[in-house]
């Protein structure tokens, strides 16, 4: 049931992904217009990225701290497009049930507080509880396909959530927009982060296309072997 998953990212030539630096160089709208060509019906980001760019600034504070435990999938509504947040502990607060018109689905673990799920329910936000201690991504994407009919999912960072999807064997393609610039700073997130340190060889890819875009930007597409 799981959707086809394409990791779509913007990076400097040294693989760093912090938007503030890259946005100075990338022609406006380039990330979005290449992403649109991939024709996903949903996009997903890790908790940090959602917190930085899309969620409310103030985090959720549970009144009871009672853990939700296993719960059935809550489908607030079916939609044409979805925005998906992967948030282990149920920390993020949301102004609305949509992000730019895409219906929001929050994926949490069983450690999320039950009043967090009640808050999502009251706001007509859909949710999936998957995994006891941490989010079980394999099960979550299967449920996204089964309950929401998602067929093509764009994995849009940051590096840690991308690394976790890749390590679980859940990335089918990589779509990388390489900006003609070097970041070079220490401790800046990269396209794939946090993979098993015992890894002895790189994940192998097959190049499927190279497109030269505006202002010397390269759009590279690979299939994961
Ligand atoms: N250039 C681009 O295309 C692009 C795109 C997106 C983001 N970014 C940048 O990337 C940076 C953030 O990247 P990041 O790597 O620090 O954070 P991230 O990947 O956005 O989020 C990582 C967080 O997701 C949560 N998570 C839930 N389940 C997980 C799992 N199974 N495996 C891993 N993480 C899981 C964890 O937080 P909890 O356990 O607390 O839930 C984890 O710390 C920002 O600077 C952002 O602007 C760039």
């Amino acid at each position: 049931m799981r959707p086809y998953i394409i990791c779509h990212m913007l990076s400097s030539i040294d693989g760093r992904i912090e938007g503030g630096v890259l946005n100075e160089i990338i022609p406006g709208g380039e990330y979005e217009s290449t992403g649109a060509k991939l024709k996903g019906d949903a996009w997903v980001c890790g908790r940090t990225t959602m917190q930085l760019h899309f969620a409310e600034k103030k985090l959720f504070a549970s009144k009871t701290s009672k853990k939700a435990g296993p719960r059935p999938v809550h489908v607030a509504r079916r939609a044409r497009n979805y925005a998906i947040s992967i948030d282990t502990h149920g920390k993020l607060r949301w102004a609305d049930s949509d992000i730019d018109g895409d219906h929001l689905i929050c994926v949490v673990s069983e450690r999320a507080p039950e009043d967090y799920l009640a808050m999502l329910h009251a706001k007509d936000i859909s949710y999936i509880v998957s995994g006891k201690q941490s989010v079980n991504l394999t099960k979550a994407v299967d449920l996204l396909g089964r309950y929401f009919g998602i067929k093509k999912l764009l994995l849009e960072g940051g590096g840690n959530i991308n690394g976790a999807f890749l390590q679980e064997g859940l990335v089918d393609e990589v779509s990388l927009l390489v900006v003609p610039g070097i970041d070079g700073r220490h401790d800046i997130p990269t396209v794939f982060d946090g993979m098993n340190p015992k890894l002895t060889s790189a994940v192998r890819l097959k190049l499927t296309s190279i497109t030269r875009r505006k202002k010397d930007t390269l759009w590279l597409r690979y299939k994961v072997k």
Side-chain angles (χ1 to χ4, degrees):
M1 294 303 286
R2 90 154 168 92
Y4 187 81
I5 301 178
I6 305 177
C7 180
H8 179 57
M9 292 294 289
L10 179 71
S11 122
S12 59
I13 69 155
D14 52 325
R16 290 171 167 90
I17 60 169
E18 199 192 74
V21 167
L22 303 179
N23 288 339
E24 293 288 308
I25 303 175
I26 183 96
E30 198 59 0
Y31 178 77
E32 292 74 14
S33 61
T34 46
K37 287 180 194 291
L38 300 173
K39 299 194 184 315
D41 46 9
W43 56 277
V44 57
C45 287
R47 196 260 310 153
T48 309
T49 299
M50 283 300 198
Q51 191 172 337
L52 281 172
H53 303 297
F54 301 102
E56 294 201 315
K57 293 299 158 226
K58 199 170 162 209
L59 295 178
F60 180 79
S62 173
K63 289 203 169 65
T64 64
S65 297
K66 187 158 184 252
K67 294 188 177 38
R71 293 292 175 108
V73 174
H74 172 60
V75 183
R77 67 181 171 87
R78 293 280 292 250
R80 190 189 283 260
N81 291 96
Y82 297 94
I84 302 155
S85 157
I86 313 274
D87 175 12
T88 315
H89 305 94
K91 288 182 182 167
L92 300 180
R93 290 168 73 244
W94 302 97
D96 203 351
S97 59
D98 284 16
I99 300 178
D100 298 334
D102 300 337
H103 177 60
L104 180 60
I105 305 171
C106 292
V107 178
V108 298
S109 75
E110 293 179 20
R111 293 162 74 187
E114 58 178 17
D115 54 353
Y116 183 74
L117 299 185
M119 178 274 289
L120 296 180
H121 205 289
K123 289 197 159 193
D124 286 331
I125 297 171
S126 297
Y127 61 77
I128 290 175
V129 179
S130 169
K132 277 192 189 311
Q133 293 300 314
S134 57
V135 171
N136 179 332
L137 295 173
T138 303
K139 184 177 161 204
V141 293
D142 186 55
L143 294 171
L144 287 169
R146 192 179 310 174
Y147 283 84
F148 297 91
I150 294 170
K151 300 222 162 9
K152 198 188 273 186
L153 176 61
L154 304 188
L155 171 62
E156 299 197 354
N160 277 290
I161 205 69
N162 292 349
F165 268 75
L166 187 65
Q167 199 155 275
E168 290 288 307
L170 295 173
V171 178
D172 299 295
E173 267 189 52
V174 177
S175 159
L176 188 65
L177 210 50
V178 183
V179 168
I182 300 166
D183 182 325
R185 291 171 296 159
H186 273 299
D187 301 328
I188 295 297
T190 62
V191 180
F192 293 95
D193 271 333
M195 307 256 303
N196 184 350
K198 296 197 174 126
L199 192 91
T200 51
S201 66
V203 174
R204 299 185 77 160
L205 306 173
K206 177 164 178 40
L207 183 66
T208 55
S209 72
I210 306 178
T211 315
R212 187 175 181 157
R213 306 275 304 179
K214 280 181 238 161
K215 296 200 175 164
D216 293 339
T217 297
L218 283 182
W219 185 23
L220 309 175
R221 292 186 64 181
Y222 299 90
K223 280 211 190 293
V224 178
K225 281 194 174 177

PDB file of all heavy atoms in Angstrom, residues 160-193:
ATOM      1  N   ASN A 160      17.679  14.837   8.827  1.00  0.00           N
ATOM      2  CA  ASN A 160      17.482  13.687   9.726  1.00  0.00           C
ATOM      3  C   ASN A 160      16.288  12.833   9.319  1.00  0.00           C
ATOM      4  O   ASN A 160      16.379  11.603   9.355  1.00  0.00           O
ATOM      5  CB  ASN A 160      17.351  14.155  11.180  1.00  0.00           C
ATOM      6  CG  ASN A 160      18.720  14.353  11.781  1.00  0.00           C
ATOM      7  OD1 ASN A 160      19.443  13.401  12.032  1.00  0.00           O
ATOM      8  ND2 ASN A 160      19.114  15.602  11.955  1.00  0.00           N
ATOM      9  N   ILE A 161      15.212  13.484   8.935  1.00  0.00           N
ATOM     10  CA  ILE A 161      14.060  12.667   8.531  1.00  0.00           C
ATOM     11  C   ILE A 161      14.372  11.986   7.191  1.00  0.00           C
ATOM     12  O   ILE A 161      14.006  10.831   6.974  1.00  0.00           O
ATOM     13  CB  ILE A 161      12.738  13.486   8.520  1.00  0.00           C
ATOM     14  CG1 ILE A 161      11.545  12.551   8.713  1.00  0.00           C
ATOM     15  CG2 ILE A 161      12.559  14.295   7.261  1.00  0.00           C
ATOM     16  CD1 ILE A 161      11.419  11.938  10.042  1.00  0.00           C
ATOM     17  N   ASN A 162      15.099  12.672   6.305  1.00  0.00           N
ATOM     18  CA  ASN A 162      15.499  12.041   5.038  1.00  0.00           C
ATOM     19  C   ASN A 162      16.364  10.801   5.305  1.00  0.00           C
ATOM     20  O   ASN A 162      16.174   9.746   4.695  1.00  0.00           O
ATOM     21  CB  ASN A 162      16.311  13.005   4.173  1.00  0.00           C
ATOM     22  CG  ASN A 162      15.489  14.168   3.651  1.00  0.00           C
ATOM     23  OD1 ASN A 162      14.270  14.168   3.762  1.00  0.00           O
ATOM     24  ND2 ASN A 162      16.158  15.163   3.088  1.00  0.00           N
ATOM     25  N   GLY A 163      17.344  10.964   6.243  1.00  0.00           N
ATOM     26  CA  GLY A 163      18.237   9.839   6.569  1.00  0.00           C
ATOM     27  C   GLY A 163      17.455   8.659   7.132  1.00  0.00           C
ATOM     28  O   GLY A 163      17.728   7.502   6.799  1.00  0.00           O
ATOM     29  N   ALA A 164      16.461   8.958   7.961  1.00  0.00           N
ATOM     30  CA  ALA A 164      15.663   7.884   8.573  1.00  0.00           C
ATOM     31  C   ALA A 164      14.832   7.142   7.512  1.00  0.00           C
ATOM     32  O   ALA A 164      14.760   5.914   7.510  1.00  0.00           O
ATOM     33  CB  ALA A 164      14.756   8.468   9.648  1.00  0.00           C
ATOM     34  N   PHE A 165      14.236   7.873   6.594  1.00  0.00           N
ATOM     35  CA  PHE A 165      13.480   7.234   5.506  1.00  0.00           C
ATOM     36  C   PHE A 165      14.415   6.369   4.645  1.00  0.00           C
ATOM     37  O   PHE A 165      14.084   5.244   4.286  1.00  0.00           O
ATOM     38  CB  PHE A 165      12.803   8.288   4.607  1.00  0.00           C
ATOM     39  CG  PHE A 165      11.398   8.660   5.002  1.00  0.00           C
ATOM     40  CD1 PHE A 165      11.164   9.470   6.107  1.00  0.00           C
ATOM     41  CD2 PHE A 165      10.301   8.227   4.273  1.00  0.00           C
ATOM     42  CE1 PHE A 165       9.862   9.830   6.479  1.00  0.00           C
ATOM     43  CE2 PHE A 165       9.002   8.575   4.624  1.00  0.00           C
ATOM     44  CZ  PHE A 165       8.773   9.375   5.725  1.00  0.00           C
ATOM     45  N   LEU A 166      15.597   6.923   4.338  1.00  0.00           N
ATOM     46  CA  LEU A 166      16.529   6.192   3.476  1.00  0.00           C
ATOM     47  C   LEU A 166      16.978   4.904   4.160  1.00  0.00           C
ATOM     48  O   LEU A 166      17.013   3.835   3.546  1.00  0.00           O
ATOM     49  CB  LEU A 166      17.742   7.090   3.158  1.00  0.00           C
ATOM     50  CG  LEU A 166      18.718   6.541   2.133  1.00  0.00           C
ATOM     51  CD1 LEU A 166      18.069   6.407   0.756  1.00  0.00           C
ATOM     52  CD2 LEU A 166      19.952   7.439   2.022  1.00  0.00           C
ATOM     53  N   GLN A 167      17.298   5.020   5.443  1.00  0.00           N
ATOM     54  CA  GLN A 167      17.771   3.857   6.182  1.00  0.00           C
ATOM     55  C   GLN A 167      16.715   2.758   6.271  1.00  0.00           C
ATOM     56  O   GLN A 167      17.034   1.588   6.305  1.00  0.00           O
ATOM     57  CB  GLN A 167      18.171   4.289   7.590  1.00  0.00           C
ATOM     58  CG  GLN A 167      19.070   3.282   8.260  1.00  0.00           C
ATOM     59  CD  GLN A 167      19.904   3.970   9.311  1.00  0.00           C
ATOM     60  OE1 GLN A 167      20.946   4.519   9.039  1.00  0.00           O
ATOM     61  NE2 GLN A 167      19.383   3.960  10.513  1.00  0.00           N
ATOM     62  N   GLU A 168      15.445   3.161   6.285  1.00  0.00           N
ATOM     63  CA  GLU A 168      14.346   2.182   6.328  1.00  0.00           C
ATOM     64  C   GLU A 168      14.037   1.611   4.941  1.00  0.00           C
ATOM     65  O   GLU A 168      13.091   0.847   4.796  1.00  0.00           O
ATOM     66  CB  GLU A 168      13.065   2.851   6.852  1.00  0.00           C
ATOM     67  CG  GLU A 168      13.098   3.206   8.313  1.00  0.00           C
ATOM     68  CD  GLU A 168      13.017   1.988   9.226  1.00  0.00           C
ATOM     69  OE1 GLU A 168      12.095   1.177   9.059  1.00  0.00           O
ATOM     70  OE2 GLU A 168      13.908   1.844  10.074  1.00  0.00           O
ATOM     71  N   GLY A 169      14.780   2.051   3.926  1.00  0.00           N
ATOM     72  CA  GLY A 169      14.527   1.546   2.566  1.00  0.00           C
ATOM     73  C   GLY A 169      13.264   2.135   1.969  1.00  0.00           C
ATOM     74  O   GLY A 169      12.605   1.517   1.127  1.00  0.00           O
ATOM     75  N   LEU A 170      12.908   3.365   2.393  1.00  0.00           N
ATOM     76  CA  LEU A 170      11.632   3.949   1.964  1.00  0.00           C
ATOM     77  C   LEU A 170      11.806   5.024   0.885  1.00  0.00           C
ATOM     78  O   LEU A 170      10.830   5.652   0.507  1.00  0.00           O
ATOM     79  CB  LEU A 170      10.915   4.568   3.177  1.00  0.00           C
ATOM     80  CG  LEU A 170      10.473   3.572   4.252  1.00  0.00           C
ATOM     81  CD1 LEU A 170       9.934   4.307   5.476  1.00  0.00           C
ATOM     82  CD2 LEU A 170       9.422   2.624   3.701  1.00  0.00           C
ATOM     83  N   VAL A 171      13.035   5.271   0.421  1.00  0.00           N
ATOM     84  CA  VAL A 171      13.228   6.301  -0.610  1.00  0.00           C
ATOM     85  C   VAL A 171      13.415   5.607  -1.964  1.00  0.00           C
ATOM     86  O   VAL A 171      14.317   4.796  -2.133  1.00  0.00           O
ATOM     87  CB  VAL A 171      14.437   7.198  -0.277  1.00  0.00           C
ATOM     88  CG1 VAL A 171      14.663   8.234  -1.368  1.00  0.00           C
ATOM     89  CG2 VAL A 171      14.242   7.889   1.065  1.00  0.00           C
ATOM     90  N   ASP A 172      12.533   5.931  -2.916  1.00  0.00           N
ATOM     91  CA  ASP A 172      12.621   5.337  -4.249  1.00  0.00           C
ATOM     92  C   ASP A 172      13.459   6.195  -5.180  1.00  0.00           C
ATOM     93  O   ASP A 172      14.116   5.683  -6.079  1.00  0.00           O
ATOM     94  CB  ASP A 172      11.212   5.175  -4.834  1.00  0.00           C
ATOM     95  CG  ASP A 172      10.359   4.263  -3.965  1.00  0.00           C
ATOM     96  OD1 ASP A 172      10.701   3.075  -3.870  1.00  0.00           O
ATOM     97  OD2 ASP A 172       9.383   4.740  -3.360  1.00  0.00           O
ATOM     98  N   GLU A 173      13.377   7.527  -5.007  1.00  0.00           N
ATOM     99  CA  GLU A 173      14.097   8.456  -5.894  1.00  0.00           C
ATOM    100  C   GLU A 173      14.640   9.618  -5.095  1.00  0.00           C
ATOM    101  O   GLU A 173      14.042   9.995  -4.077  1.00  0.00           O
ATOM    102  CB  GLU A 173      13.130   9.080  -6.907  1.00  0.00           C
ATOM    103  CG  GLU A 173      13.022   8.362  -8.214  1.00  0.00           C
ATOM    104  CD  GLU A 173      12.205   9.198  -9.208  1.00  0.00           C
ATOM    105  OE1 GLU A 173      12.515  10.390  -9.413  1.00  0.00           O
ATOM    106  OE2 GLU A 173      11.270   8.638  -9.769  1.00  0.00           O
ATOM    107  N   VAL A 174      15.715  10.215  -5.599  1.00  0.00           N
ATOM    108  CA  VAL A 174      16.224  11.467  -5.036  1.00  0.00           C
ATOM    109  C   VAL A 174      16.162  12.515  -6.151  1.00  0.00           C
ATOM    110  O   VAL A 174      16.604  12.264  -7.274  1.00  0.00           O
ATOM    111  CB  VAL A 174      17.675  11.315  -4.535  1.00  0.00           C
ATOM    112  CG1 VAL A 174      18.201  12.651  -4.013  1.00  0.00           C
ATOM    113  CG2 VAL A 174      17.761  10.250  -3.441  1.00  0.00           C
ATOM    114  N   SER A 175      15.586  13.676  -5.818  1.00  0.00           N
ATOM    115  CA  SER A 175      15.487  14.798  -6.753  1.00  0.00           C
ATOM    116  C   SER A 175      16.216  15.955  -6.078  1.00  0.00           C
ATOM    117  O   SER A 175      15.742  16.491  -5.079  1.00  0.00           O
ATOM    118  CB  SER A 175      14.000  15.119  -6.958  1.00  0.00           C
ATOM    119  OG  SER A 175      13.832  16.430  -7.430  1.00  0.00           O
ATOM    120  N   LEU A 176      17.384  16.284  -6.606  1.00  0.00           N
ATOM    121  CA  LEU A 176      18.264  17.229  -5.903  1.00  0.00           C
ATOM    122  C   LEU A 176      18.507  18.461  -6.768  1.00  0.00           C
ATOM    123  O   LEU A 176      18.985  18.342  -7.907  1.00  0.00           O
ATOM    124  CB  LEU A 176      19.586  16.512  -5.609  1.00  0.00           C
ATOM    125  CG  LEU A 176      20.571  17.247  -4.711  1.00  0.00           C
ATOM    126  CD1 LEU A 176      20.003  17.415  -3.303  1.00  0.00           C
ATOM    127  CD2 LEU A 176      21.882  16.474  -4.640  1.00  0.00           C
ATOM    128  N   LEU A 177      18.195  19.596  -6.211  1.00  0.00           N
ATOM    129  CA  LEU A 177      18.437  20.861  -6.889  1.00  0.00           C
ATOM    130  C   LEU A 177      19.721  21.445  -6.315  1.00  0.00           C
ATOM    131  O   LEU A 177      19.745  21.847  -5.148  1.00  0.00           O
ATOM    132  CB  LEU A 177      17.246  21.768  -6.584  1.00  0.00           C
ATOM    133  CG  LEU A 177      16.816  22.806  -7.591  1.00  0.00           C
ATOM    134  CD1 LEU A 177      16.647  22.257  -8.989  1.00  0.00           C
ATOM    135  CD2 LEU A 177      15.492  23.416  -7.108  1.00  0.00           C
ATOM    136  N   VAL A 178      20.785  21.430  -7.116  1.00  0.00           N
ATOM    137  CA  VAL A 178      22.091  21.862  -6.609  1.00  0.00           C
ATOM    138  C   VAL A 178      22.346  23.305  -7.029  1.00  0.00           C
ATOM    139  O   VAL A 178      22.423  23.632  -8.219  1.00  0.00           O
ATOM    140  CB  VAL A 178      23.227  20.947  -7.124  1.00  0.00           C
ATOM    141  CG1 VAL A 178      24.561  21.372  -6.523  1.00  0.00           C
ATOM    142  CG2 VAL A 178      22.947  19.493  -6.777  1.00  0.00           C
ATOM    143  N   VAL A 179      22.458  24.143  -6.018  1.00  0.00           N
ATOM    144  CA  VAL A 179      22.657  25.577  -6.199  1.00  0.00           C
ATOM    145  C   VAL A 179      24.154  25.835  -6.396  1.00  0.00           C
ATOM    146  O   VAL A 179      24.972  25.193  -5.741  1.00  0.00           O
ATOM    147  CB  VAL A 179      22.158  26.273  -4.906  1.00  0.00           C
ATOM    148  CG1 VAL A 179      22.557  27.703  -4.847  1.00  0.00           C
ATOM    149  CG2 VAL A 179      20.666  26.113  -4.772  1.00  0.00           C
ATOM    150  N   PRO A 180      24.536  26.754  -7.305  1.00  0.00           N
ATOM    151  CA  PRO A 180      25.971  26.995  -7.498  1.00  0.00           C
ATOM    152  C   PRO A 180      26.553  27.821  -6.352  1.00  0.00           C
ATOM    153  O   PRO A 180      26.776  29.026  -6.488  1.00  0.00           O
ATOM    154  CB  PRO A 180      26.018  27.759  -8.822  1.00  0.00           C
ATOM    155  CG  PRO A 180      24.704  28.464  -8.872  1.00  0.00           C
ATOM    156  CD  PRO A 180      23.707  27.574  -8.194  1.00  0.00           C
ATOM    157  N   GLY A 181      26.760  27.164  -5.241  1.00  0.00           N
ATOM    158  CA  GLY A 181      27.299  27.842  -4.063  1.00  0.00           C
ATOM    159  C   GLY A 181      27.861  26.829  -3.091  1.00  0.00           C
ATOM    160  O   GLY A 181      27.486  25.652  -3.124  1.00  0.00           O
ATOM    161  N   ILE A 182      28.783  27.296  -2.255  1.00  0.00           N
ATOM    162  CA  ILE A 182      29.404  26.454  -1.230  1.00  0.00           C
ATOM    163  C   ILE A 182      29.038  27.054   0.119  1.00  0.00           C
ATOM    164  O   ILE A 182      29.174  28.264   0.318  1.00  0.00           O
ATOM    165  CB  ILE A 182      30.941  26.438  -1.396  1.00  0.00           C
ATOM    166  CG1 ILE A 182      31.308  25.873  -2.774  1.00  0.00           C
ATOM    167  CG2 ILE A 182      31.608  25.637  -0.284  1.00  0.00           C
ATOM    168  CD1 ILE A 182      32.767  26.118  -3.164  1.00  0.00           C
ATOM    169  N   ASP A 183      28.573  26.221   1.031  1.00  0.00           N
ATOM    170  CA  ASP A 183      28.269  26.696   2.383  1.00  0.00           C
ATOM    171  C   ASP A 183      29.514  26.495   3.252  1.00  0.00           C
ATOM    172  O   ASP A 183      30.167  27.454   3.660  1.00  0.00           O
ATOM    173  CB  ASP A 183      27.030  25.924   2.909  1.00  0.00           C
ATOM    174  CG  ASP A 183      26.602  26.371   4.292  1.00  0.00           C
ATOM    175  OD1 ASP A 183      27.481  26.703   5.105  1.00  0.00           O
ATOM    176  OD2 ASP A 183      25.389  26.378   4.590  1.00  0.00           O
ATOM    177  N   GLY A 184      29.874  25.255   3.501  1.00  0.00           N
ATOM    178  CA  GLY A 184      31.151  24.964   4.145  1.00  0.00           C
ATOM    179  C   GLY A 184      31.227  25.146   5.644  1.00  0.00           C
ATOM    180  O   GLY A 184      32.285  24.936   6.232  1.00  0.00           O
ATOM    181  N   ARG A 185      30.131  25.522   6.304  1.00  0.00           N
ATOM    182  CA  ARG A 185      30.189  25.699   7.759  1.00  0.00           C
ATOM    183  C   ARG A 185      30.032  24.360   8.470  1.00  0.00           C
ATOM    184  O   ARG A 185      29.405  23.439   7.949  1.00  0.00           O
ATOM    185  CB  ARG A 185      29.069  26.645   8.212  1.00  0.00           C
ATOM    186  CG  ARG A 185      29.269  28.079   7.760  1.00  0.00           C
ATOM    187  CD  ARG A 185      28.034  28.908   8.039  1.00  0.00           C
ATOM    188  NE  ARG A 185      26.886  28.436   7.261  1.00  0.00           N
ATOM    189  CZ  ARG A 185      25.620  28.690   7.569  1.00  0.00           C
ATOM    190  NH1 ARG A 185      25.323  29.421   8.608  1.00  0.00           N
ATOM    191  NH2 ARG A 185      24.643  28.217   6.808  1.00  0.00           N
ATOM    192  N   HIS A 186      30.595  24.281   9.691  1.00  0.00           N
ATOM    193  CA  HIS A 186      30.419  23.101  10.538  1.00  0.00           C
ATOM    194  C   HIS A 186      28.982  23.003  10.994  1.00  0.00           C
ATOM    195  O   HIS A 186      28.293  24.007  11.148  1.00  0.00           O
ATOM    196  CB  HIS A 186      31.272  23.233  11.807  1.00  0.00           C
ATOM    197  CG  HIS A 186      32.665  22.728  11.624  1.00  0.00           C
ATOM    198  ND1 HIS A 186      32.946  21.422  11.302  1.00  0.00           N
ATOM    199  CD2 HIS A 186      33.854  23.352  11.717  1.00  0.00           C
ATOM    200  CE1 HIS A 186      34.243  21.268  11.203  1.00  0.00           C
ATOM    201  NE2 HIS A 186      34.830  22.435  11.440  1.00  0.00           N
ATOM    202  N   ASP A 187      28.544  21.777  11.264  1.00  0.00           N
ATOM    203  CA  ASP A 187      27.272  21.522  11.961  1.00  0.00           C
ATOM    204  C   ASP A 187      26.052  22.117  11.266  1.00  0.00           C
ATOM    205  O   ASP A 187      25.114  22.583  11.921  1.00  0.00           O
ATOM    206  CB  ASP A 187      27.342  22.057  13.406  1.00  0.00           C
ATOM    207  CG  ASP A 187      28.479  21.411  14.183  1.00  0.00           C
ATOM    208  OD1 ASP A 187      28.775  20.227  13.904  1.00  0.00           O
ATOM    209  OD2 ASP A 187      29.082  22.093  15.028  1.00  0.00           O
ATOM    210  N   ILE A 188      26.101  22.119   9.956  1.00  0.00           N
ATOM    211  CA  ILE A 188      24.926  22.555   9.186  1.00  0.00           C
ATOM    212  C   ILE A 188      24.268  21.286   8.640  1.00  0.00           C
ATOM    213  O   ILE A 188      24.971  20.376   8.196  1.00  0.00           O
ATOM    214  CB  ILE A 188      25.376  23.485   8.026  1.00  0.00           C
ATOM    215  CG1 ILE A 188      25.990  24.771   8.590  1.00  0.00           C
ATOM    216  CG2 ILE A 188      24.221  23.809   7.077  1.00  0.00           C
ATOM    217  CD1 ILE A 188      25.052  25.640   9.399  1.00  0.00           C
ATOM    218  N   PRO A 189      22.916  21.174   8.708  1.00  0.00           N
ATOM    219  CA  PRO A 189      22.270  19.960   8.219  1.00  0.00           C
ATOM    220  C   PRO A 189      22.606  19.686   6.748  1.00  0.00           C
ATOM    221  O   PRO A 189      22.793  20.623   5.970  1.00  0.00           O
ATOM    222  CB  PRO A 189      20.774  20.239   8.383  1.00  0.00           C
ATOM    223  CG  PRO A 189      20.646  21.509   9.120  1.00  0.00           C
ATOM    224  CD  PRO A 189      21.973  22.180   9.188  1.00  0.00           C
ATOM    225  N   THR A 190      22.715  18.408   6.435  1.00  0.00           N
ATOM    226  CA  THR A 190      22.996  18.008   5.047  1.00  0.00           C
ATOM    227  C   THR A 190      21.791  17.234   4.498  1.00  0.00           C
ATOM    228  O   THR A 190      20.860  16.935   5.239  1.00  0.00           O
ATOM    229  CB  THR A 190      24.260  17.133   4.964  1.00  0.00           C
ATOM    230  OG1 THR A 190      24.030  15.942   5.711  1.00  0.00           O
ATOM    231  CG2 THR A 190      25.478  17.849   5.525  1.00  0.00           C
ATOM    232  N   VAL A 191      21.841  16.897   3.225  1.00  0.00           N
ATOM    233  CA  VAL A 191      20.673  16.296   2.562  1.00  0.00           C
ATOM    234  C   VAL A 191      20.218  15.021   3.290  1.00  0.00           C
ATOM    235  O   VAL A 191      19.028  14.797   3.503  1.00  0.00           O
ATOM    236  CB  VAL A 191      20.992  15.983   1.079  1.00  0.00           C
ATOM    237  CG1 VAL A 191      19.788  15.356   0.393  1.00  0.00           C
ATOM    238  CG2 VAL A 191      21.425  17.237   0.342  1.00  0.00           C
ATOM    239  N   PHE A 192      21.182  14.176   3.673  1.00  0.00           N
ATOM    240  CA  PHE A 192      20.865  12.973   4.467  1.00  0.00           C
ATOM    241  C   PHE A 192      21.763  12.982   5.696  1.00  0.00           C
ATOM    242  O   PHE A 192      22.991  13.009   5.558  1.00  0.00           O
ATOM    243  CB  PHE A 192      21.096  11.691   3.657  1.00  0.00           C
ATOM    244  CG  PHE A 192      20.131  11.547   2.520  1.00  0.00           C
ATOM    245  CD1 PHE A 192      20.477  11.970   1.241  1.00  0.00           C
ATOM    246  CD2 PHE A 192      18.870  11.002   2.719  1.00  0.00           C
ATOM    247  CE1 PHE A 192      19.580  11.851   0.187  1.00  0.00           C
ATOM    248  CE2 PHE A 192      17.967  10.883   1.670  1.00  0.00           C
ATOM    249  CZ  PHE A 192      18.322  11.312   0.400  1.00  0.00           C
ATOM    250  N   ASP A 193      21.154  12.990   6.872  1.00  0.00           N
ATOM    251  CA  ASP A 193      21.904  13.034   8.135  1.00  0.00           C
ATOM    252  C   ASP A 193      21.514  11.861   9.014  1.00  0.00           C
ATOM    253  O   ASP A 193      20.456  11.256   8.829  1.00  0.00           O
ATOM    254  CB  ASP A 193      21.527  14.312   8.919  1.00  0.00           C
ATOM    255  CG  ASP A 193      22.399  15.503   8.553  1.00  0.00           C
ATOM    256  OD1 ASP A 193      23.541  15.283   8.144  1.00  0.00           O
ATOM    257  OD2 ASP A 193      21.910  16.639   8.681  1.00  0.00           O
TER     258      ASP A 193
END
